[in-house]
Amino acid sequence: MNQEEITNKPSNNGKMKEFVAHSKNNFGEIHLLKDHLKNTAVRAHSFATDEDLTNLFYLAGILHDVGKYQDGFQNYIEYGGQKTFHAGIGAYIAKILFNKLIPLQFAIQGHHAGLPDNENRRSNNENYAQSEELAQELITRLYNDLAEIKNKEADLPQLYSKNLLLTECLTRLLFSSLTDADWLDTERHFLPEKSQARLESEIDYDELINQLEKIFTLLPIDREINRLRTEARLDVINKFSKPPGFFSIQLPTGLGKTLTSIHWALLHAKENKLKRIIIVLPYINIIDQTATILKEIFGEEIILEHHSGIMEGDDEYSNETFDSTQLSPKQLACENWQAPIIITTAVQFFESLFSNRPSKCRKNHNIANSVVIFDEVQTLPKELVEPTIIMLKNISQVSKTSFLFCTATMPAFGKREGFDGIEETISLIGNPMKYFDVTKRVEYKLIKKLKPVGLDIVAEQLLKEKTSYLAVVNTKSVAKKLFVKIKEGRTHDEYFHLSTAMCAHHRKKIIKKIIAALSAKPKRKIAVVSTQLVEAGVDFDFPCVYRAIAPLDSVIQAAGRCNRNGKMKKGKVVLFDLTDHPMPDKTYRACAEFAKGIIKDDPQILHHAESFERYYEQVIEFFVDPDRYKITKEREMFNFKTVNNQYHIIDKQTTLLFAAFYSNESKELFEEVTKFFDDSGFISKELYRKIQQFGVQVYQDFLKKYGNQIEQHKSGLKIWLGKYDQDFGITPEDVETVF
């Protein structure tokens, strides 16, 4: 049978054969391939960030499933049996038709299995070169269904032909857009109700700005700290009309960076016609606090919380996978960030940018035309800082996106010899030193001039304190030992411990109790021992803070929990160095030792706004390789899978343990999970999100050492059967979980 006979083979009723993309939905309707290709193309076209790229995005939609014109795939749809793969032949057809459009080949080949390394793309094309006759046959079938494709042309703008990293970034944007467009159209076929439930609202900037400005009129103005907050906010919003780019707000802790940054972002987004605001926080435990504040101001519906650890599948959509995810509009928006204001974590945001997985990358195209606010940006791992900054620069060039860094300790992100940083970051604070000079709210003291001392010496000092205090140490084992020692002294009214050996639900409950105790009348004396999880964004205001020596940013951030609201003339921050104390890793220890030397020579340096930037620059120069895993080099070689495997905000692999017996609520959830799994054979995304609140992330050596206290549930979840202490959480000693 020749090509024309194959292509134009009539069906039994005498009509031309109609090719199918997906099987029948619950209404008995098939999904015609020509309709799916056209609809996906139109959606992908709408995601293009530049007029010159619209044809490229359209072609991606048209060609992504051209491999489904194979007879084998059509037989699979109709009769079942062995599946015929289609992405590889589709990528090869893209090469035949548009040889120079390398991003097109990558996006099509990866739209189910993930973006490959370049060598795999090339070998894939070579393998399919043996199927030239099949490829031409499928092209003819495509032309019969969608004749307009014959006249489509596309070329990469000159910007991309000269810069490998920009082309790689464009490939990621195209991949994200194609994946989302494909999944949305497939969803529309299988679950139209779910499709219609998705949020499509745009930001009403005027309304949100008015709501926020009403809040500002209600804020107290009775103390100097409140006057400074207002002055800083007005300083910042004077620069809202700048075009998209890189910006910074460097202010002392407690000067209202959260609301000030949102105010600027709303004005800036309205001025530049940007679509959404994305707030990136360093830790999960801060999300609830920030989300609660914003929901109280703007309302529940427009705020989307999306953190790391959400179960994200990469399988091709089918009737089964669609039926398994009956989610609310806000939960659906987590899949592709189609929401006005998004609050997420650094792990979720950055690892998605460098991922090659369809489900993880699906939302990335919605970062374009947005304002991205990074809160406490100094927490970004220093070994990843250069490739991360380069990626942000690429995104800024490829799409219309503004990035705002907010912190009291601004890292040295600027371009310089040996560091490919940002060419220009516009400071939204005209003179940061003015605010730091006025808000010297603490006095620094050193135990034994930072000579190493035993934990007993620190405990003795704490037992003498007459006010509430917060003591921050570097590991959970030390935190637990110190807590036991000070609690035995019974010098305070209440004692609290915080670490991520406790599940998120537990930590949030304790944080709320601490905040309530600090503001209680009559005053109560409380003692808190914590790891560094409290140093970024947790709104504590203690009269006294103790901090074990640590990298300079950790020391300054811990001090930000002291006299935060300026209620005292001076709070007290006590620094100490422990004998033979463990540190989280070698980089942390090197930075801590360097900071110790600086502080010993001149503790007043901790008051100076520019001191941290100098420290950061020296740390990067002398102690840390800012691209330890050579990620930028791998990006230049278009090795997407390798980059995905190399880029991890949390370096060591961790596993979630479900603390099912932590509370009655967690026990009830465990029963719900078991019943749901027994009935359906899987765990829904909604249930998995609930599980996150009762989960503790642990390292692999923890699993090996305490495996006899861990049970694998039939659903695949790992259940902690050992003791869960209401002070400490999961209690085994000697092995550190993630802090």
Side-chain angles (χ1 to χ4, degrees), residues 344-530:
T344 189
T345 61
V347 173
Q348 179 65 249
F349 184 86
F350 288 121
E351 292 194 0
S352 294
L353 290 188
F354 288 87
S355 177
N356 74 324
R357 306 304 302 165
S359 65
K360 207 166 184 68
C361 294
R362 178 182 173 185
K363 59 187 172 292
N364 289 353
H365 70 91
N366 274 326
I367 295 171
N369 300 302
S370 300
V371 183
V372 183
I373 301 171
F374 297 110
D375 193 19
E376 309 297 0
V377 71
Q378 77 284 345
T379 57
L380 182 68
K382 295 176 181 65
E383 298 87 351
L384 297 174
V385 66
E386 188 173 48
T388 302
I389 292 299
I390 290 171
M391 178 68 86
L392 296 183
K393 291 200 300 179
N394 296 158
I395 292 171
S396 181
Q397 288 177 272
V398 171
S399 61
K400 190 180 175 184
T401 306
S402 282
F403 298 106
L404 172 61
F405 303 122
C406 294
T407 181
T409 49
M410 185 64 196
F413 284 166
K415 189 177 182 68
R416 57 188 180 275
E417 185 177 354
F419 184 78
D420 189 4
I422 302 165
E423 284 75 8
E424 181 187 22
T425 301
I426 298 172
S427 174
L428 300 180
I429 297 293
N431 179 15
M433 277 302 298
K434 175 179 69 173
Y435 296 97
F436 282 87
D437 287 342
V438 174
T439 56
K440 289 181 180 177
R441 292 165 293 179
V442 303
E443 180 181 7
Y444 288 97
K445 296 181 179 295
L446 311 179
I447 293 182
K448 302 284 187 182
K449 297 183 179 180
L450 289 184
K451 291 179 181 178
V453 297
L455 197 61
D456 287 340
I457 299 296
V458 178
E460 286 175 15
Q461 289 273 96
L462 290 171
L463 291 172
K464 295 175 184 177
E465 291 296 338
K466 304 300 182 186
T467 63
S468 295
Y469 62 79
L470 166 68
V472 183
V473 293
N474 293 316
T475 63
K476 281 176 287 303
S477 58
V478 174
K480 184 174 181 180
K481 290 173 185 175
L482 183 59
F483 180 83
V484 170
K485 288 178 181 295
I486 61 109
K487 191 173 183 180
E488 287 174 351
R490 290 295 169 190
T491 58
H492 283 57
D493 298 318
E494 288 183 275
Y495 295 85
F496 300 99
H497 167 274
L498 283 168
S499 79
T500 54
M502 303 152 68
C503 66
H505 185 278
H506 191 183
R507 293 197 308 271
K508 290 172 190 174
K509 183 172 73 172
I510 297 300
I511 287 171
K512 287 180 180 177
K513 286 184 176 181
I514 292 169
I515 292 173
L518 287 171
S519 59
K521 293 182 179 178
K523 283 187 177 182
R524 295 180 60 78
K525 285 172 56 182
I526 67 169
V528 180
V529 179
S530 176

Side-chain angles (χ1 to χ4, degrees), residues 9 115 152 193 235 290 337 593 638 693:
K9 182 180 179 181
L115 287 169
K152 276 289 180 186
E193 303 93 342
D235 198 359
T290 302
W337 282 7
E593 290 297 326
F638 292 78
Q693 292 298 307

Side-chain angles (χ1 to χ4, degrees), residues 57 75 158 189 212 292 329 463 486 559 563 571 617 634 686 736:
F57 281 60
N75 289 335
Q158 192 174 19
H189 167 69
L212 185 54
T292 298
L463 291 172
I486 61 109
N563 197 22
E617 187 173 330
E634 297 292 346
E686 172 60 11
E736 294 291 319

